Amino acid sequence: MAYPLQLGLQDASSPIMEELTNFHDHTLMIVFLISSLVLYLISLMLTTKLIHTSTMDAQEVETIWTILPAIILILIALPSLRILYMMDEINNPALTVKTMGHQWYWSYEYTDYEDLCFDSYMIPTNELKPGELRLLEVDNRVVLPMELPIRMLISSEDVLHSWAVPSLGLKTDAIPGRLNQATVTSNRPGVFYGQCSEICGSNHSFMPIVLEVIPLKFFENWSMSMTQ
């Protein structure tokens, strides 16, 4: 999760988030180079007294400032499209979890198990234990196995919500009457926090998301204890 005064992205915990972080750095470097070049040209025009009357009519200059932006856009578009296809692709998911948004809590259903479903409410501030995070802790965490492709089916029963976990590179809208799909794969165990990212009413800030990712053998023990 983010720490106070953090300026960059959260540490990546999934392959998709690693790709998004690399693409962010790649695009930011292009923007930095363009900004530096424009700033240099502006400062040059303001400080020099030399005027080249033939520069504005040069065919070569017009060709360069037409082709160069097109090349830059291609350098941004190709990795962006690659990541978009990676985010949409899911082959043989090991587990499917159905997520439903409500005002103002989340409900989860493990469709591969019988009667494994629960609601997830935020823990009020006066009930928090030492070390727990205000406005982020829930009474029932979503427990998932690590290093396995997991399909999340996301929808809503009332208004628009958005299921987002930044460190895993996840942000999918929950729309009433529509089933959206997201892929979850975590490289390491841990507890990952998120929140609803779509303004959904007066208690929009009070429906957090907590994913607890554990090794597969511990997940099997947890699922057996929940279904008994």
Side-chain angles (χ1 to χ4, degrees):
M1 61 173 294
Y3 53 84
L5 301 180
Q6 179 176 342
L7 296 179
L9 302 172
Q10 296 185 23
D11 292 338
S13 299
S14 69
I16 293 296
M17 190 58 193
E18 290 178 1
E19 294 289 338
L20 290 173
T21 303
N22 293 333
F23 176 67
H24 170 268
D25 296 340
H26 166 75
T27 309
L28 196 63
M29 184 56 64
I30 293 176
V31 172
F32 175 75
L33 292 175
I34 294 173
S35 303
S36 301
L37 177 62
V38 172
L39 183 62
Y40 170 73
L41 292 176
I42 291 176
S43 62
L44 199 64
M45 292 175 64
L46 293 176
T47 54
T48 184
K49 294 183 179 180
L50 299 176
I51 300 175
H52 300 279
T53 56
S54 61
T55 301
M56 302 303 295
D57 298 327
Q59 192 71 29
E60 295 81 5
V61 175
E62 294 183 3
T63 304
I64 290 173
W65 72 41
T66 302
I67 295 178
L68 190 60
I71 295 175
I72 293 173
L73 289 176
I74 292 174
L75 292 176
I76 295 175
L78 290 180
S80 174
L81 291 173
R82 171 176 169 269
I83 296 175
L84 282 175
Y85 279 105
M86 287 176 61
M87 294 175 69
D88 285 338
E89 183 179 2
I90 178 170
N91 295 320
N92 300 322
L95 183 68
T96 300
V97 180
K98 182 180 177 182
T99 303
M100 296 294 294
H102 308 265
Q103 289 181 312
W104 286 272
Y105 65 95
W106 298 96
S107 61
Y108 300 95
E109 179 184 351
Y110 291 72
T111 58
D112 299 285
Y113 298 85
E114 292 185 2
D115 300 327
L116 181 49
C117 55
F118 52 84
D119 297 330
S120 181
Y121 290 87
M122 186 194 75
I123 299 177
T125 303
N126 57 354
E127 297 180 9
L128 289 175
K129 299 177 182 177
E132 292 185 336
L133 302 171
R134 178 176 171 272
L135 301 182
L136 287 176
E137 295 291 348
V138 296
D139 55 357
N140 291 309
R141 292 177 174 178
V142 182
V143 181
L144 299 174
M146 61 178 287
E147 296 180 339
L148 289 176
I150 300 165
R151 176 171 55 194
M152 303 295 298
L153 300 177
I154 301 165
S155 186
S156 172
E157 283 200 355
D158 36 50
V159 298
L160 290 176
H161 300 280
S162 186
W163 199 81
V165 183
S167 58
L168 296 176
L170 295 172
K171 186 178 185 297
T172 304
D173 288 341
I175 304 172
R178 178 170 178 171
L179 207 60
N180 288 329
Q181 177 178 283
T183 306
V184 182
T185 303
S186 179
N187 296 332
R188 56 188 174 89
V191 179
F192 306 106
Y193 294 90
Q195 289 178 302
C196 177
S197 297
E198 188 78 39
I199 297 177
C200 56
S202 59
N203 289 336
H204 158 69
S205 302
F206 307 114
M207 47 185 305
I209 301 158
V210 183
L211 302 184
E212 184 175 349
V213 181
I214 57 178
L216 180 59
K217 60 179 181 179
F218 296 109
F219 173 78
E220 292 174 345
N221 295 335
W222 173 84
S223 61
M224 290 177 61
S225 64
M226 292 290 290
T227 54
Q228 288 177 354

